[in-house]
Short mmCIF file of all heavy atoms in Angstrom, two decimals:
data_model
loop_
_atom_site.label_atom_id
_atom_site.label_comp_id
_atom_site.label_asym_id
_atom_site.label_seq_id
_atom_site.Cartn_x
_atom_site.Cartn_y
_atom_site.Cartn_z
N LEU A 847 3.98 -14.17 10.62
CA LEU A 847 4.74 -13.94 9.39
C LEU A 847 5.49 -15.19 8.96
O LEU A 847 5.64 -15.46 7.78
CB LEU A 847 5.72 -12.79 9.62
CG LEU A 847 5.11 -11.40 9.80
CD1 LEU A 847 6.20 -10.39 10.11
CD2 LEU A 847 4.34 -10.99 8.57
N ARG A 848 5.98 -15.95 9.90
CA ARG A 848 6.73 -17.15 9.57
C ARG A 848 5.82 -18.35 9.37
O ARG A 848 6.28 -19.42 8.97
CB ARG A 848 7.74 -17.44 10.68
CG ARG A 848 8.79 -16.34 10.84
CD ARG A 848 9.63 -16.54 12.07
NE ARG A 848 10.35 -17.78 12.02
CZ ARG A 848 11.08 -18.26 13.03
NH1 ARG A 848 11.16 -17.58 14.15
NH2 ARG A 848 11.72 -19.40 12.91
N GLY A 849 4.50 -18.16 9.66
CA GLY A 849 3.58 -19.26 9.46
C GLY A 849 3.79 -20.40 10.41
O GLY A 849 3.57 -21.56 10.05
N ALA A 850 4.22 -20.10 11.61
CA ALA A 850 4.56 -21.17 12.54
C ALA A 850 3.39 -21.66 13.36
O ALA A 850 3.45 -22.74 13.91
CB ALA A 850 5.67 -20.70 13.48
N GLN A 851 2.33 -20.84 13.49
CA GLN A 851 1.21 -21.24 14.32
C GLN A 851 0.07 -21.72 13.43
O GLN A 851 -0.38 -21.01 12.54
CB GLN A 851 0.73 -20.07 15.19
CG GLN A 851 1.77 -19.64 16.21
CD GLN A 851 1.22 -18.55 17.10
OE1 GLN A 851 0.11 -18.10 16.93
NE2 GLN A 851 2.03 -18.13 18.05
N GLY A 852 -0.46 -22.88 13.73
CA GLY A 852 -1.63 -23.39 13.07
C GLY A 852 -1.40 -23.82 11.63
O GLY A 852 -2.35 -24.04 10.90
N LYS A 853 -0.15 -23.93 11.19
CA LYS A 853 0.14 -24.35 9.82
C LYS A 853 1.23 -25.40 9.83
O LYS A 853 2.08 -25.45 10.72
CB LYS A 853 0.60 -23.16 8.96
CG LYS A 853 -0.47 -22.10 8.75
CD LYS A 853 0.06 -21.01 7.84
CE LYS A 853 -0.99 -19.95 7.62
NZ LYS A 853 -0.50 -18.88 6.73
N SER A 854 1.21 -26.19 8.80
CA SER A 854 2.27 -27.16 8.64
C SER A 854 3.49 -26.47 8.05
O SER A 854 3.44 -25.34 7.60
CB SER A 854 1.80 -28.29 7.72
OG SER A 854 1.52 -27.76 6.43
N ALA A 855 4.60 -27.18 8.04
CA ALA A 855 5.84 -26.60 7.50
C ALA A 855 5.70 -26.29 6.02
O ALA A 855 6.20 -25.28 5.53
CB ALA A 855 7.01 -27.54 7.75
N ALA A 856 4.98 -27.14 5.30
CA ALA A 856 4.82 -26.91 3.87
C ALA A 856 3.97 -25.67 3.62
O ALA A 856 4.26 -24.86 2.74
CB ALA A 856 4.18 -28.13 3.21
N GLU A 857 2.90 -25.54 4.41
CA GLU A 857 2.05 -24.36 4.25
C GLU A 857 2.80 -23.09 4.62
O GLU A 857 2.65 -22.06 3.98
CB GLU A 857 0.80 -24.50 5.11
CG GLU A 857 -0.15 -25.58 4.63
CD GLU A 857 -1.31 -25.77 5.60
OE1 GLU A 857 -1.11 -25.50 6.81
OE2 GLU A 857 -2.38 -26.18 5.16
N ALA A 858 3.60 -23.16 5.68
CA ALA A 858 4.36 -21.98 6.10
C ALA A 858 5.36 -21.58 5.03
O ALA A 858 5.64 -20.40 4.84
CB ALA A 858 5.07 -22.27 7.41
#
Side-chain angles (χ1 to χ4, degrees):
L847 292 176
R848 296 171 61 186
Q851 294 184 358
K853 295 183 180 180
S854 63
E857 291 175 332

